[in-house]
Amino acid sequence: EAGVTQFPSHSVIEKGQTVTLRCDPISGHDNLYWYRRVMGKEIKFLLHFVKESKQDESGMPNNRFLAERTGGTYSTLKVQPAELEDSGVYFCASSQDSRRGVTETQYFGPGTRLLVL
Amino acid sequence: AQTVTQSQPEMSVQEAETVTLSCTYDTSENNYYLFWYKQPPSRQMILVIRQEAYKQQNATENRFSVNFQKAAKSFSLKISDSQLGDTAMYFCAFNGGSEKLVFGKGTKLTVNP
């Protein structure tokens, strides 16, 4: 079974440009999450999809970030326009549909390293 | 708000020895889940072990075990018989049922030959 995949693995862009990150969850996983780790800091939650719906987007930094999950399969995270402080590693994770009262384990992708110059 | 603290930014251990990584957390929840994830250099983050707070028995996965002290809000990871492949960043994470994980800053573990 294929794991969570992310594309690209690395991206270097200039301030003001646009970047789109993609995440393909494990097949059959309804839950998809985006996290970000800025250098030297904790991995922080960005948002959570259940199928194609945004369940929780409380961690999104500002309106320069737009996440979509059309059709409930893969997801994209677009940063437009990118700023210097957006640099970091963006992780995607997926999990199965939560059973009543049970939190399912999240499986992570390898991350996308974004550097904004 | 829940917080997770890993007080050891870096640790090292000799191959075949035992090492313990510390993690404390703060929450007002009674039912929650705790995780240790491992990220080897340039590789994917993988789950090492998980613990449900309602279970009194400490979770164990082969050479990895936890010491879960609910009253003290402590969740340390013990690695026995350390191997070179255990070299990685280790992240402690908390989930209070809201689906999102709250992470510590991580501990960089180096296993020396």
Side-chain angles (χ1 to χ4, degrees), chain A residues 58-102:
Chain A
S58 61
M60 294 288 263
N62 51 60
N63 59 10
R64 296 186 294 103
F65 289 74
L66 175 64
E68 293 180 326
R69 193 183 181 194
T70 306
T73 54
Y74 71 90
S75 175
T76 58
L77 179 64
K78 182 164 72 173
V79 185
Q80 179 184 31
E83 297 289 346
L84 299 179
E85 63 264 25
D86 300 332
S87 296
V89 182
Y90 289 77
F91 293 101
C92 176
S94 72
S95 68
Q96 291 182 324
D97 190 24
S98 298
R99 291 167 286 161
R100 186 181 180 87
V102 176

Side-chain angles (χ1 to χ4, degrees), chain A residues 8-43:
Chain A
S9 58
H10 295 78
S11 181
V12 181
I13 61 172
E14 293 189 350
K15 176 182 172 181
Q17 290 185 321
T18 297
V19 64
T20 300
L21 314 181
R22 172 171 170 146
C23 168
D24 286 79
I26 293 172
S27 178
H29 281 192
D30 288 337
N31 294 293
L32 188 150
Y33 310 83
W34 284 98
Y35 293 86
R36 176 175 73 171
R37 186 182 188 209
V38 173
M39 192 185 318
K41 299 201 172 180
E42 298 91 338
I43 300 169

Side-chain angles (χ1 to χ4, degrees), chain A residues 91 108-111 113, chain B residues 38-46 85 87:
Chain A
F91 293 101
F108 281 77
R113 294 183 180 277
Chain B
K38 161 187 175 181
Q39 186 178 27
S42 302
R43 291 180 62 186
Q44 204 140 335
M45 189 153 61
I46 58 174
T87 292

